[in-house]
Amino acid sequence: MTKPKVSVVVPIYGVEKYLRQCVDSILAQTLTNIEIILVNDGSPDKCPQIVDEYAKKDKRIVAIHQPNGGYGRAVNHGFELATGEYIAILESDDWVEPTMYEKLYTNAKTNDSDVVKCSFYKYNSLAKKRRRINYKWKTSYMDLFDAPTGGFVLCDFPQIVMFHSSVWAGIYRADFIRKNKIQMIEANKTMYQDFPFMCEVMSRAKRISVVKEYLVHYRMEEDQNSSTKSLGPKSAKVIQMASRCIDGINILKNNGVLDIVKEEIYFHAWTTNIGFFNQIVWSSKIAYFEELYRLFMPLQKDNTFKFRYFKHDQIKSVYYIIDNDFINAANNRWHFSIKNIRRFLLSFHNPCFLPSENNRWHLTLLGVQIGYQFYNRPALFRIGK
């Protein structure tokens, strides 16, 4: 039997509603010489039956059933069984464009790359129909399309670590993964394992390349079980984001490349965490702050760090953290202004027209907030979810 060009590992848990669309998108690939490893991680719904159903239909599908061990264990099990030249990860509630793996594989062979990345769409089927529900992932500070054409190494384009970790938007040379013993963190109930995985991959790759197209549809909906999509302001699990950032930065340090990407990786860590820190309820905010202090403390005595990508207010917020100033860090975003005074006294916010924030309204009256999500508004008391 011919060796598969790409093995696609799909970790599966609690996605009965979306799994068929995911698997169908892989089966529809223009690159037909692929292996599809469906890892049922003890899913309590009908996912196990769906996995077996697809395995009977197509010989390229490998059905794996294991006790629930978490996302990391499911991915690593898939890696162990993969026989392809390259390995891909695809989350089971997402789906891909028909040409994705052909384009990534062709690029990998052309540039002799250990890692090939592409960009992605964000998708929310629950958004208002009159608004776009499928839109391109971009940030104000870095676009993956800024990467060099052809193959490159990390020092040529350190900004790549500023981009969303998106480990599922790419392929990895299987020999490269195994030689460097690269794995996902396996502890159950651990989240955001993609950040340290990304740091390990990018710091060890001898050749990186980018397909400058949007080829993955990344689902962002409220009824999902995966990663940060289900996290709200009351979830203490979000603190793990800071912990995984610490893990990732330690990986970069141990691999001898932290000085190359220091400006970029700390900015990524800040943008990843600051929104969740601002939203999280006060009962968990101190614990989150303590983890942020551990994360940014190395900058305290680092005179070489220039805050290259930070704006003035952002620099100030980092200094509140490294100075261990919880009060100012927790209240930094609510600077004194006429606009914020008005918001504090009386304001109504209804972002339901935004694709990722359906029905997240709230009302603020004299500092008391009622509603479903409380970011971007100052208040003393909050009532709701």
Side-chain angles (χ1 to χ4, degrees), residues 112-375:
D112 192 26
S113 299
D114 291 324
V115 183
V116 183
K117 294 283 291 181
C118 66
S119 197
F120 59 92
Y121 298 100
K122 293 172 67 177
Y123 176 84
N124 183 0
S125 65
L126 304 178
K128 295 289 185 179
K129 291 183 179 180
R130 63 188 177 88
R131 309 295 294 186
R132 287 186 303 170
I133 59 175
N134 202 1
Y135 58 107
K136 297 175 181 178
W137 173 272
K138 288 187 177 181
T139 68
S140 59
Y141 54 87
M142 211 289 287
D143 193 329
L144 194 63
F145 287 21
D146 296 331
T149 300
F152 59 91
V153 292
L154 187 59
C155 62
D156 293 333
F157 187 62
Q159 293 90 342
I160 196 168
V161 301
M162 295 169 65
F163 189 70
H164 190 290
S165 299
S166 56
V167 298
W168 28 262
I171 60 174
Y172 313 92
R173 196 196 305 268
D175 290 345
F176 160 74
I177 292 291
R178 295 189 175 109
K179 178 182 178 181
N180 291 284
K181 299 179 180 179
I182 299 174
Q183 292 187 321
M184 288 280 181
I185 295 173
E186 282 199 7
N188 204 354
K189 298 184 180 180
T190 297
M191 55 164 288
Y192 202 46
Q193 301 101 313
D194 52 350
F195 187 89
F197 182 88
M198 179 271 293
C199 291
E200 190 79 76
V201 163
M202 292 302 175
S203 62
R204 290 188 177 274
K206 294 182 179 178
R207 199 78 171 164
I208 305 166
S209 55
V210 171
V211 173
K212 299 180 181 181
E213 295 185 44
Y214 300 86
L215 298 174
V216 184
H217 299 261
Y218 176 48
R219 193 182 299 273
M220 301 284 289
E221 296 178 357
E222 298 304 324
D223 58 346
Q224 290 170 268
N225 293 316
S226 60
S227 73
T228 59
K229 301 164 193 172
S230 62
L231 294 177
K234 291 187 178 181
S235 175
K237 292 191 297 183
V238 74
I239 298 172
Q240 291 189 46
M241 299 188 92
S243 305
R244 298 293 79 76
C245 286
I246 294 170
D247 293 340
I249 289 171
N250 285 336
I251 287 169
L252 296 172
K253 183 178 180 180
N254 293 337
N255 290 344
V257 299
L258 180 57
D259 287 343
I260 295 173
V261 297
K262 183 167 55 179
E263 298 283 345
E264 291 78 13
I265 202 66
Y266 272 107
F267 187 68
H268 184 155
W270 184 87
T271 54
T272 295
N273 283 280
I274 196 64
F276 286 101
F277 175 68
N278 288 333
Q279 292 179 42
I280 201 167
V281 293
W282 278 92
S283 58
S284 299
K285 196 178 284 284
I286 292 178
Y288 201 158
F289 178 79
E290 290 173 349
E291 203 65 0
L292 289 177
Y293 177 74
R294 280 210 313 130
L295 170 60
F296 289 101
M297 185 175 57
L299 300 182
Q300 194 173 38
K301 297 181 180 179
D302 188 349
N303 296 326
T304 66
F305 193 81
K306 304 301 182 183
F307 291 92
R308 185 178 303 157
Y309 302 98
F310 290 78
K311 297 178 181 179
H312 176 73
D313 287 345
Q314 296 169 342
I315 295 173
K316 185 168 63 173
S317 72
V318 174
Y319 271 106
Y320 286 144
I321 293 170
I322 63 179
D323 289 341
N324 205 15
D325 187 347
F326 171 75
I327 298 300
N328 278 317
N331 294 283
N332 179 52
R333 68 189 321 228
W334 305 127
H335 57 277
F336 182 83
S337 69
I338 297 299
K339 184 177 182 179
N340 275 334
I341 292 175
R342 179 178 58 79
R343 285 176 168 177
F344 181 84
L345 296 176
L346 176 63
S347 65
F348 177 69
H349 186 56
N350 183 14
C352 65
F353 60 86
L354 296 176
S356 62
E357 298 178 17
N358 192 40
N359 294 327
R360 291 298 212 175
W361 65 271
H362 58 259
L363 169 70
T364 305
L365 177 62
L366 301 178
V368 177
Q369 221 168 56
I370 303 172
Y372 290 89
Q373 189 164 338
F374 305 118
Y375 69 96

Side-chain angles (χ1 to χ4, degrees), residues 11-115:
I12 298 167
Y13 184 86
V15 289
E16 172 189 338
K17 181 178 178 181
Y18 308 113
L19 183 56
R20 292 182 186 278
Q21 184 179 24
C22 173
V23 179
D24 286 342
S25 75
I26 308 173
L27 292 174
Q29 290 295 296
T30 55
L31 180 68
T32 57
N33 186 11
I34 60 175
E35 176 182 50
I36 306 166
I37 303 176
L38 304 180
V39 186
N40 164 41
D41 188 40
S43 187
D45 54 11
K46 293 182 180 179
C47 284
Q49 294 93 315
I50 296 173
V51 167
D52 288 337
E53 173 191 327
Y54 273 96
K56 291 177 182 178
K57 290 181 179 179
D58 198 304
K59 294 181 180 180
R60 296 175 296 173
I61 294 178
V62 179
I64 305 298
H65 299 281
Q66 65 179 41
N68 180 248
Y71 177 84
R73 178 60 193 138
V75 171
N76 290 339
H77 196 175
F79 279 13
E80 292 165 6
L81 299 174
T83 63
E85 185 182 354
Y86 281 80
I87 301 176
I89 304 166
L90 183 60
E91 295 194 354
S92 49
D93 47 11
D94 299 338
W95 77 99
V96 294
E97 289 290 304
T99 57
M100 174 170 169
Y101 293 120
E102 181 176 12
K103 289 181 176 179
L104 294 180
Y105 180 79
T106 300
N107 183 287
K109 299 300 286 184
T110 300
N111 296 295
D112 192 26
S113 299
D114 291 324
V115 183

